[in-house]
Amino acid sequence: MFKKLVALLILTAVVLVGWTYNRIESLPQQTLGLTQDTLISVEKGTTANQFAQILQAKGWIDDARWIKVLYRLKPELTAIKAGEYQLQAGMTLGELYTIVLSGESVQYRATLIEGSTVKELLATLKENDALVHTLNAEDAKSLASELDLDQDSAEGLFLAETYHFERGTTDRAMLLRAHQMLTDALDQYWAERPDSLPLKSAYEALILASIVEKETGLSSERPQISGVFIRRLNRGMRLQTDPTVIYGMGDKYQGNITRKDLQTPTDYNTYVIAGLPPTPIATVGREALQAALNPAEGRSLYFVARGDGSHQFSDTLKQHNQAVQEYQLKRRNNYRSAPGES
């Protein structure tokens, strides 16, 4: 009788162990209680056991203790990574762990637009709620100080590009990354430049690139625009470009440039000052950098906007004045082409 009881107990234990083992082994195939797609955030320092408790608290699994036993059979499941993960309705526990073990966190985007100023760039970043906002700067000078940049002004020191990042990234980290991208690109193009350019430093090339960026949005025209400015620099001619005047006016600019504005001295008014302005006037992309350091050959010294986004290039002042008459003065008497002659 006793032997039968022992045998029964052993059999029961074996059955129970087998059932338990099968129950645990089948856990990864268990469908989670997810009724709609959702995001889950795993904070840094979260342990595997804490993660199991989170799943239970959300109602996605019945009992976290089963997961903790599963960890003993599959210790690799404990190597969860911090991040934010996208989960789909109807997915299994195993699929969830595949995601959180991968570390492939949800990626957000921030686009630094070509031709934007530091003030515009900061405003764009402030609207991005996936970033952690730590910066207090409101202008180019204070931003350069806050980021500890080499230049006194941060204008133009960030590469115009779309950046992907994880939630929780700081605006400071984002801009330092964009600054490094700009530095790397500028160093590369500067090293490959022709020796004949009248540019003394990579920073001067960046200043020129920012003017090219503001003058045209057409990729095909950027080398031509650059060529005009390079020839004018070589000849000692003033650049006479409207975007620099506008930048120097700051908040005084209300959408129109008058003759008085062109004659009012500022550090950036290239109708008044010789050579390049002291800093870039906008954020640049790679194409503008390449154009500044690879200007198109030719003889044109002037250009004027046609009104359709493109420009008319002229070799002589007489041709330029005719182009201004044709494309601009008929439409707007106050218009001043850039660059032109006073």
Side-chain angles (χ1 to χ4, degrees):
M1 183 68 180
F2 178 74
K3 289 182 179 180
K4 290 182 179 181
L5 181 59
V6 170
L8 181 58
L9 290 173
I10 292 174
L11 178 60
T12 302
V14 169
V15 171
L16 183 59
V17 169
W19 179 86
T20 302
Y21 181 82
N22 289 332
R23 173 75 169 84
I24 296 170
E25 276 284 301
S26 65
L27 279 177
Q29 286 75 51
Q30 174 184 317
T31 300
L32 298 174
L34 268 173
T35 57
Q36 60 183 6
D37 294 354
T38 189
L39 292 173
I40 183 172
S41 180
V42 181
E43 303 295 334
K44 289 183 179 179
T46 300
T47 67
N49 285 341
Q50 290 171 336
F51 182 63
Q53 291 294 151
I54 291 172
L55 298 183
Q56 179 180 320
K58 290 181 176 293
W60 296 347
I61 61 173
D62 295 329
D63 194 333
R65 289 175 294 183
W66 288 110
I67 307 297
K68 295 174 183 178
V69 176
L70 179 63
Y71 290 154
R72 294 181 179 275
L73 295 178
K74 298 180 180 294
E76 66 272 15
L77 296 181
T78 62
I80 61 173
K81 295 179 175 64
E84 187 179 30
Y85 302 99
Q86 178 71 55
L87 306 180
Q88 285 77 44
M91 73 187 312
T92 66
L93 182 67
E95 291 170 335
L96 180 149
Y97 270 88
T98 297
I99 292 174
V100 298
L101 291 173
S102 72
E104 295 178 1
S105 187
V106 172
Q107 296 290 298
Y108 294 87
R109 296 191 305 172
T111 300
L112 308 188
I113 301 174
E114 293 95 335
S116 60
T117 63
V118 159
K119 287 185 178 180
E120 292 167 338
L121 182 154
L122 288 173
T124 296
L125 293 185
K126 284 181 180 179
E127 294 175 356
N128 194 316
D129 59 9
L131 287 170
V132 175
H133 302 287
T134 63
L135 296 171
N136 298 311
E138 296 182 352
D139 55 40
K141 286 189 175 181
S142 59
L143 182 60
S145 176
E146 196 166 352
L147 294 180
D148 196 26
L149 302 179
D150 292 336
Q151 302 292 337
D152 292 334
S153 170
E155 199 70 79
L157 296 186
F158 312 100
L159 186 67
E161 186 67 84
T162 294
Y163 296 89
H164 294 83
F165 63 95
E166 296 180 5
R167 181 180 292 277
T169 299
T170 65
D171 49 5
R172 176 187 177 86
M174 172 63 65
L175 287 180
L176 287 176
R177 178 182 168 194
H179 174 61
Q180 187 60 55
M181 293 282 285
L182 184 280
T183 300
D184 292 344
L186 181 57
D187 287 348
Q188 175 190 340
Y189 300 140
W190 178 253
E192 299 169 351
R193 75 191 185 281
D195 295 332
S196 59
L197 296 180
L199 301 171
K200 299 176 182 178
S201 67
Y203 190 62
E204 284 195 354
L206 179 60
I207 294 172
L208 178 58
S210 72
I211 299 174
V212 172
E213 190 73 82
K214 292 297 289 185
E215 280 289 5
T216 183
L218 294 179
S219 299
S220 59
E221 281 194 346
R222 288 189 177 113
Q224 290 178 276
I225 297 286
S226 177
V228 169
F229 289 133
I230 290 295
R231 285 186 284 278
R232 292 178 76 92
L233 289 172
N234 278 328
R235 296 187 182 202
M237 299 172 67
R238 290 174 181 168
L239 295 185
Q240 296 186 315
T241 170
D242 291 0
T244 62
V245 179
I246 293 170
Y247 187 84
M249 292 173 65
D251 294 336
K252 294 180 182 179
Y253 178 69
Q254 298 298 318
N256 186 40
I257 302 176
T258 65
R259 182 172 294 276
K260 181 180 178 181
D261 294 328
L262 298 178
Q263 297 171 344
T264 301
T266 73
D267 291 342
Y268 292 87
N269 187 345
T270 53
Y271 284 86
V272 176
I273 65 170
L276 295 164
T279 74
I281 60 172
T283 303
V284 304
R286 293 180 185 275
E287 287 187 355
L289 285 174
Q290 289 177 306
L293 290 164
N294 295 277
E297 295 183 0
R299 297 187 301 173
S300 57
L301 293 170
Y302 311 91
F303 59 83
V304 63
R306 291 192 177 107
D308 61 357
S310 66
H311 293 81
Q312 178 67 38
F313 294 84
S314 303
D315 295 350
T316 67
L317 181 57
K318 181 179 180 180
Q319 292 172 344
H320 174 63
N321 287 336
Q322 291 174 344
V324 170
Q325 182 70 32
E326 179 178 358
Y327 292 108
Q328 296 299 338
L329 293 185
K330 291 180 181 178
R331 295 192 300 111
R332 181 153 57 93
N333 291 331
N334 252 352
Y335 185 86
R336 178 67 176 181
S337 61
E341 282 293 346
S342 301

